[in-house]
Amino acid sequence: MSTRGRKKAYFCPFTACNAVSFLPEGKFMLRNYGLHVNCSVMMMYPEKLTFTYVNVGARDLKTTALQLTGADHTSRHCAEKNKGDKVEVRGGGNFEMVNMQLFQELCGFHPLIRDTHSVMCGATMVRLVSSGHYDNTVIVENELLSEESVTVQTFMCPLDELPV
């Protein structure tokens, strides 16, 4: 069979899946399409994060939805059940991930989740860690931190890392 006249589409699996938000509010979807690619969105302000959809490390959605009913799954649980696929909430004084503090990890299938966290740091990051064994998707909304937001689960950086 001749391939003349046909064009092949190529997808580079090494394409970065990262974004930096300069806006104080927005909505982001992080997805790995079943590839071994980590994705992240970084925000430049203390933020209130609301996860509205989490499907991370879930192979059989019907079974997983029944097994994983809580909103908070620790890294031990994520590592045991799904090869380490997880969503991380990090915060720090700058965008260097190695210097950012890990506050929360989520995994599993939660289609109607409204899990809200306040991150009181100069920089906030949501990071999707993917093994390539699952088609992971996370949708997160962010908005500037307000006095009302601090009443939800709050993560705080050391005072020297807070914006002035």
Side-chain angles (χ1 to χ4, degrees):
M1 186 169 165
S2 172
T3 58
R4 189 178 336 156
R6 285 197 225 165
K7 293 185 179 181
K8 291 185 178 180
Y10 293 97
F11 176 75
C12 178
F14 306 108
T15 303
C17 177
N18 302 301
V20 177
S21 174
F22 296 100
L23 301 174
E25 57 186 49
K27 185 174 186 176
F28 297 92
M29 181 174 77
L30 302 175
R31 186 169 181 192
N32 76 329
Y33 296 95
L35 300 172
H36 180 60
V37 176
N38 295 338
C39 302
S40 63
V41 60
M42 294 176 263
M43 292 142 264
M44 299 180 57
Y45 311 99
E47 293 284 343
K48 174 184 166 189
L49 303 174
T50 303
F51 290 89
T52 57
Y53 180 87
V54 175
N55 184 359
V56 177
R59 186 175 305 279
D60 179 0
L61 299 184
K62 292 177 185 172
T63 305
T64 306
L66 294 173
Q67 291 174 349
L68 306 175
T69 56
D72 177 22
H73 299 292
T74 64
S75 61
R76 192 179 109 242
H77 175 80
C78 294
E80 287 175 359
K81 295 293 183 189
N82 61 30
K83 303 186 183 346
D85 290 36
K86 59 190 171 187
V87 179
E88 299 175 342
V89 175
R90 293 178 170 267
N94 57 45
F95 284 146
E96 294 181 30
M97 192 188 76
V98 70
N99 296 331
M100 292 185 122
Q101 186 174 351
L102 175 64
F103 292 118
Q104 180 79 34
E105 292 181 335
L106 300 168
C107 67
F109 178 58
H110 308 282
L112 302 174
I113 192 171
R114 294 293 300 175
D115 193 19
T116 302
H117 307 279
S118 295
V119 182
M120 295 180 67
C121 297
T124 304
M125 176 192 292
V126 176
R127 181 173 183 243
L128 175 62
V129 179
S130 302
S131 65
H133 295 281
Y134 305 96
D135 187 355
N136 297 322
T137 304
V138 175
I139 298 175
V140 62
E141 297 174 2
N142 69 300
E143 62 184 72
L144 276 177
L145 212 51
S146 64
E147 288 183 30
E148 297 83 33
S149 304
V150 179
T151 60
V152 300
Q153 185 173 357
T154 301
F155 304 119
M156 191 165 183
C157 283
L159 292 177
D160 61 340
E161 293 185 6
L162 291 174
V164 181

PDB file of all heavy atoms in Angstrom, residues 26-45:
ATOM      1  N   GLY A  26      -8.905  32.491  37.239  1.00  0.00           N
ATOM      2  CA  GLY A  26      -9.037  31.746  35.990  1.00  0.00           C
ATOM      3  C   GLY A  26      -9.462  30.319  36.248  1.00  0.00           C
ATOM      4  O   GLY A  26      -9.737  29.913  37.381  1.00  0.00           O
ATOM      5  N   LYS A  27      -9.521  29.547  35.177  1.00  0.00           N
ATOM      6  CA  LYS A  27      -9.899  28.136  35.236  1.00  0.00           C
ATOM      7  C   LYS A  27      -8.937  27.384  34.316  1.00  0.00           C
ATOM      8  O   LYS A  27      -8.736  27.792  33.167  1.00  0.00           O
ATOM      9  CB  LYS A  27     -11.342  27.953  34.767  1.00  0.00           C
ATOM     10  CG  LYS A  27     -11.866  26.561  34.898  1.00  0.00           C
ATOM     11  CD  LYS A  27     -13.352  26.525  34.534  1.00  0.00           C
ATOM     12  CE  LYS A  27     -13.954  25.176  34.793  1.00  0.00           C
ATOM     13  NZ  LYS A  27     -15.401  25.171  34.532  1.00  0.00           N
ATOM     14  N   PHE A  28      -8.356  26.308  34.816  1.00  0.00           N
ATOM     15  CA  PHE A  28      -7.354  25.568  34.069  1.00  0.00           C
ATOM     16  C   PHE A  28      -7.680  24.082  34.056  1.00  0.00           C
ATOM     17  O   PHE A  28      -8.165  23.540  35.054  1.00  0.00           O
ATOM     18  CB  PHE A  28      -5.968  25.748  34.697  1.00  0.00           C
ATOM     19  CG  PHE A  28      -5.488  27.162  34.667  1.00  0.00           C
ATOM     20  CD1 PHE A  28      -5.734  28.012  35.727  1.00  0.00           C
ATOM     21  CD2 PHE A  28      -4.806  27.640  33.561  1.00  0.00           C
ATOM     22  CE1 PHE A  28      -5.301  29.326  35.701  1.00  0.00           C
ATOM     23  CE2 PHE A  28      -4.373  28.947  33.520  1.00  0.00           C
ATOM     24  CZ  PHE A  28      -4.622  29.786  34.588  1.00  0.00           C
ATOM     25  N   MET A  29      -7.419  23.454  32.920  1.00  0.00           N
ATOM     26  CA  MET A  29      -7.505  22.005  32.812  1.00  0.00           C
ATOM     27  C   MET A  29      -6.108  21.488  32.526  1.00  0.00           C
ATOM     28  O   MET A  29      -5.469  21.903  31.565  1.00  0.00           O
ATOM     29  CB  MET A  29      -8.445  21.566  31.694  1.00  0.00           C
ATOM     30  CG  MET A  29      -8.540  20.049  31.617  1.00  0.00           C
ATOM     31  SD  MET A  29      -9.764  19.433  30.429  1.00  0.00           S
ATOM     32  CE  MET A  29      -8.880  19.666  28.903  1.00  0.00           C
ATOM     33  N   LEU A  30      -5.641  20.583  33.377  1.00  0.00           N
ATOM     34  CA  LEU A  30      -4.371  19.902  33.163  1.00  0.00           C
ATOM     35  C   LEU A  30      -4.689  18.480  32.736  1.00  0.00           C
ATOM     36  O   LEU A  30      -5.465  17.789  33.401  1.00  0.00           O
ATOM     37  CB  LEU A  30      -3.540  19.889  34.444  1.00  0.00           C
ATOM     38  CG  LEU A  30      -3.196  21.245  35.050  1.00  0.00           C
ATOM     39  CD1 LEU A  30      -2.472  21.069  36.375  1.00  0.00           C
ATOM     40  CD2 LEU A  30      -2.374  22.064  34.093  1.00  0.00           C
ATOM     41  N   ARG A  31      -4.093  18.034  31.621  1.00  0.00           N
ATOM     42  CA  ARG A  31      -4.373  16.693  31.116  1.00  0.00           C
ATOM     43  C   ARG A  31      -3.119  16.123  30.476  1.00  0.00           C
ATOM     44  O   ARG A  31      -2.394  16.830  29.783  1.00  0.00           O
ATOM     45  CB  ARG A  31      -5.502  16.741  30.090  1.00  0.00           C
ATOM     46  CG  ARG A  31      -5.934  15.363  29.656  1.00  0.00           C
ATOM     47  CD  ARG A  31      -7.205  15.386  28.864  1.00  0.00           C
ATOM     48  NE  ARG A  31      -7.572  14.022  28.498  1.00  0.00           N
ATOM     49  CZ  ARG A  31      -8.492  13.722  27.639  1.00  0.00           C
ATOM     50  NH1 ARG A  31      -9.195  14.678  27.051  1.00  0.00           N
ATOM     51  NH2 ARG A  31      -8.752  12.471  27.348  1.00  0.00           N
ATOM     52  N   ASN A  32      -2.868  14.825  30.695  1.00  0.00           N
ATOM     53  CA  ASN A  32      -1.666  14.202  30.144  1.00  0.00           C
ATOM     54  C   ASN A  32      -1.950  13.308  28.938  1.00  0.00           C
ATOM     55  O   ASN A  32      -1.007  12.827  28.324  1.00  0.00           O
ATOM     56  CB  ASN A  32      -0.952  13.388  31.221  1.00  0.00           C
ATOM     57  CG  ASN A  32      -1.650  12.076  31.515  1.00  0.00           C
ATOM     58  OD1 ASN A  32      -2.873  11.980  31.406  1.00  0.00           O
ATOM     59  ND2 ASN A  32      -0.889  11.072  31.896  1.00  0.00           N
ATOM     60  N   TYR A  33      -3.196  13.045  28.590  1.00  0.00           N
ATOM     61  CA  TYR A  33      -3.592  12.216  27.444  1.00  0.00           C
ATOM     62  C   TYR A  33      -2.934  10.839  27.483  1.00  0.00           C
ATOM     63  O   TYR A  33      -2.601  10.265  26.451  1.00  0.00           O
ATOM     64  CB  TYR A  33      -3.272  12.922  26.125  1.00  0.00           C
ATOM     65  CG  TYR A  33      -4.064  14.190  25.940  1.00  0.00           C
ATOM     66  CD1 TYR A  33      -3.527  15.417  26.305  1.00  0.00           C
ATOM     67  CD2 TYR A  33      -5.354  14.149  25.455  1.00  0.00           C
ATOM     68  CE1 TYR A  33      -4.262  16.582  26.166  1.00  0.00           C
ATOM     69  CE2 TYR A  33      -6.098  15.308  25.303  1.00  0.00           C
ATOM     70  CZ  TYR A  33      -5.543  16.522  25.663  1.00  0.00           C
ATOM     71  OH  TYR A  33      -6.283  17.669  25.528  1.00  0.00           O
ATOM     72  N   GLY A  34      -2.714  10.294  28.682  1.00  0.00           N
ATOM     73  CA  GLY A  34      -2.132   8.973  28.828  1.00  0.00           C
ATOM     74  C   GLY A  34      -0.629   8.918  28.639  1.00  0.00           C
ATOM     75  O   GLY A  34      -0.049   7.840  28.569  1.00  0.00           O
ATOM     76  N   LEU A  35       0.016  10.064  28.565  1.00  0.00           N
ATOM     77  CA  LEU A  35       1.470  10.115  28.359  1.00  0.00           C
ATOM     78  C   LEU A  35       2.196  10.322  29.683  1.00  0.00           C
ATOM     79  O   LEU A  35       1.632  10.828  30.646  1.00  0.00           O
ATOM     80  CB  LEU A  35       1.826  11.250  27.399  1.00  0.00           C
ATOM     81  CG  LEU A  35       1.219  11.152  26.004  1.00  0.00           C
ATOM     82  CD1 LEU A  35       1.489  12.418  25.217  1.00  0.00           C
ATOM     83  CD2 LEU A  35       1.774   9.936  25.273  1.00  0.00           C
ATOM     84  N   HIS A  36       3.459   9.952  29.694  1.00  0.00           N
ATOM     85  CA  HIS A  36       4.319  10.163  30.861  1.00  0.00           C
ATOM     86  C   HIS A  36       4.833  11.602  30.815  1.00  0.00           C
ATOM     87  O   HIS A  36       5.978  11.875  30.477  1.00  0.00           O
ATOM     88  CB  HIS A  36       5.475   9.154  30.847  1.00  0.00           C
ATOM     89  CG  HIS A  36       6.404   9.299  32.010  1.00  0.00           C
ATOM     90  ND1 HIS A  36       5.992   9.157  33.307  1.00  0.00           N
ATOM     91  CD2 HIS A  36       7.726   9.577  32.057  1.00  0.00           C
ATOM     92  CE1 HIS A  36       7.023   9.338  34.107  1.00  0.00           C
ATOM     93  NE2 HIS A  36       8.099   9.600  33.365  1.00  0.00           N
ATOM     94  N   VAL A  37       3.927  12.550  31.082  1.00  0.00           N
ATOM     95  CA  VAL A  37       4.229  13.975  31.021  1.00  0.00           C
ATOM     96  C   VAL A  37       3.642  14.621  32.276  1.00  0.00           C
ATOM     97  O   VAL A  37       2.478  14.410  32.597  1.00  0.00           O
ATOM     98  CB  VAL A  37       3.585  14.624  29.767  1.00  0.00           C
ATOM     99  CG1 VAL A  37       3.815  16.121  29.754  1.00  0.00           C
ATOM    100  CG2 VAL A  37       4.122  13.999  28.497  1.00  0.00           C
ATOM    101  N   ASN A  38       4.450  15.402  32.973  1.00  0.00           N
ATOM    102  CA  ASN A  38       3.950  16.156  34.118  1.00  0.00           C
ATOM    103  C   ASN A  38       3.506  17.533  33.644  1.00  0.00           C
ATOM    104  O   ASN A  38       4.153  18.139  32.802  1.00  0.00           O
ATOM    105  CB  ASN A  38       5.033  16.293  35.188  1.00  0.00           C
ATOM    106  CG  ASN A  38       5.409  14.945  35.774  1.00  0.00           C
ATOM    107  OD1 ASN A  38       4.650  13.989  35.713  1.00  0.00           O
ATOM    108  ND2 ASN A  38       6.594  14.866  36.335  1.00  0.00           N
ATOM    109  N   CYS A  39       2.380  18.005  34.179  1.00  0.00           N
ATOM    110  CA  CYS A  39       1.827  19.298  33.796  1.00  0.00           C
ATOM    111  C   CYS A  39       1.704  20.163  35.042  1.00  0.00           C
ATOM    112  O   CYS A  39       1.470  19.645  36.135  1.00  0.00           O
ATOM    113  CB  CYS A  39       0.431  19.135  33.198  1.00  0.00           C
ATOM    114  SG  CYS A  39       0.367  18.061  31.757  1.00  0.00           S
ATOM    115  N   SER A  40       1.825  21.467  34.874  1.00  0.00           N
ATOM    116  CA  SER A  40       1.651  22.355  36.021  1.00  0.00           C
ATOM    117  C   SER A  40       1.122  23.712  35.572  1.00  0.00           C
ATOM    118  O   SER A  40       1.309  24.111  34.429  1.00  0.00           O
ATOM    119  CB  SER A  40       2.963  22.532  36.780  1.00  0.00           C
ATOM    120  OG  SER A  40       3.932  23.146  35.952  1.00  0.00           O
ATOM    121  N   VAL A  41       0.443  24.359  36.500  1.00  0.00           N
ATOM    122  CA  VAL A  41       0.060  25.756  36.312  1.00  0.00           C
ATOM    123  C   VAL A  41       0.539  26.486  37.557  1.00  0.00           C
ATOM    124  O   VAL A  41       0.354  26.027  38.686  1.00  0.00           O
ATOM    125  CB  VAL A  41      -1.459  25.933  36.070  1.00  0.00           C
ATOM    126  CG1 VAL A  41      -2.286  25.420  37.221  1.00  0.00           C
ATOM    127  CG2 VAL A  41      -1.778  27.382  35.769  1.00  0.00           C
ATOM    128  N   MET A  42       1.224  27.608  37.329  1.00  0.00           N
ATOM    129  CA  MET A  42       1.773  28.393  38.422  1.00  0.00           C
ATOM    130  C   MET A  42       1.090  29.752  38.453  1.00  0.00           C
ATOM    131  O   MET A  42       0.856  30.352  37.409  1.00  0.00           O
ATOM    132  CB  MET A  42       3.271  28.564  38.244  1.00  0.00           C
ATOM    133  CG  MET A  42       4.005  27.240  38.366  1.00  0.00           C
ATOM    134  SD  MET A  42       5.753  27.389  38.055  1.00  0.00           S
ATOM    135  CE  MET A  42       5.790  26.904  36.329  1.00  0.00           C
ATOM    136  N   MET A  43       0.771  30.219  39.657  1.00  0.00           N
ATOM    137  CA  MET A  43       0.113  31.497  39.843  1.00  0.00           C
ATOM    138  C   MET A  43       0.999  32.403  40.685  1.00  0.00           C
ATOM    139  O   MET A  43       1.698  31.921  41.568  1.00  0.00           O
ATOM    140  CB  MET A  43      -1.250  31.294  40.499  1.00  0.00           C
ATOM    141  CG  MET A  43      -2.231  30.582  39.577  1.00  0.00           C
ATOM    142  SD  MET A  43      -3.291  29.427  40.440  1.00  0.00           S
ATOM    143  CE  MET A  43      -2.428  27.913  40.182  1.00  0.00           C
ATOM    144  N   MET A  44       0.952  33.677  40.402  1.00  0.00           N
ATOM    145  CA  MET A  44       1.877  34.625  41.029  1.00  0.00           C
ATOM    146  C   MET A  44       1.344  35.270  42.291  1.00  0.00           C
ATOM    147  O   MET A  44       1.917  36.231  42.775  1.00  0.00           O
ATOM    148  CB  MET A  44       2.232  35.722  40.018  1.00  0.00           C
ATOM    149  CG  MET A  44       2.913  35.198  38.793  1.00  0.00           C
ATOM    150  SD  MET A  44       3.314  36.478  37.622  1.00  0.00           S
ATOM    151  CE  MET A  44       4.311  37.574  38.592  1.00  0.00           C
ATOM    152  N   TYR A  45       0.262  34.771  42.832  1.00  0.00           N
ATOM    153  CA  TYR A  45      -0.359  35.421  43.971  1.00  0.00           C
ATOM    154  C   TYR A  45      -0.772  34.362  44.998  1.00  0.00           C
ATOM    155  O   TYR A  45      -0.916  33.197  44.666  1.00  0.00           O
ATOM    156  CB  TYR A  45      -1.637  36.163  43.542  1.00  0.00           C
ATOM    157  CG  TYR A  45      -1.471  37.042  42.340  1.00  0.00           C
ATOM    158  CD1 TYR A  45      -1.863  36.603  41.084  1.00  0.00           C
ATOM    159  CD2 TYR A  45      -0.902  38.299  42.463  1.00  0.00           C
ATOM    160  CE1 TYR A  45      -1.710  37.412  39.972  1.00  0.00           C
ATOM    161  CE2 TYR A  45      -0.748  39.113  41.359  1.00  0.00           C
ATOM    162  CZ  TYR A  45      -1.151  38.668  40.111  1.00  0.00           C
ATOM    163  OH  TYR A  45      -0.998  39.460  39.024  1.00  0.00           O
TER     164      TYR A  45
END
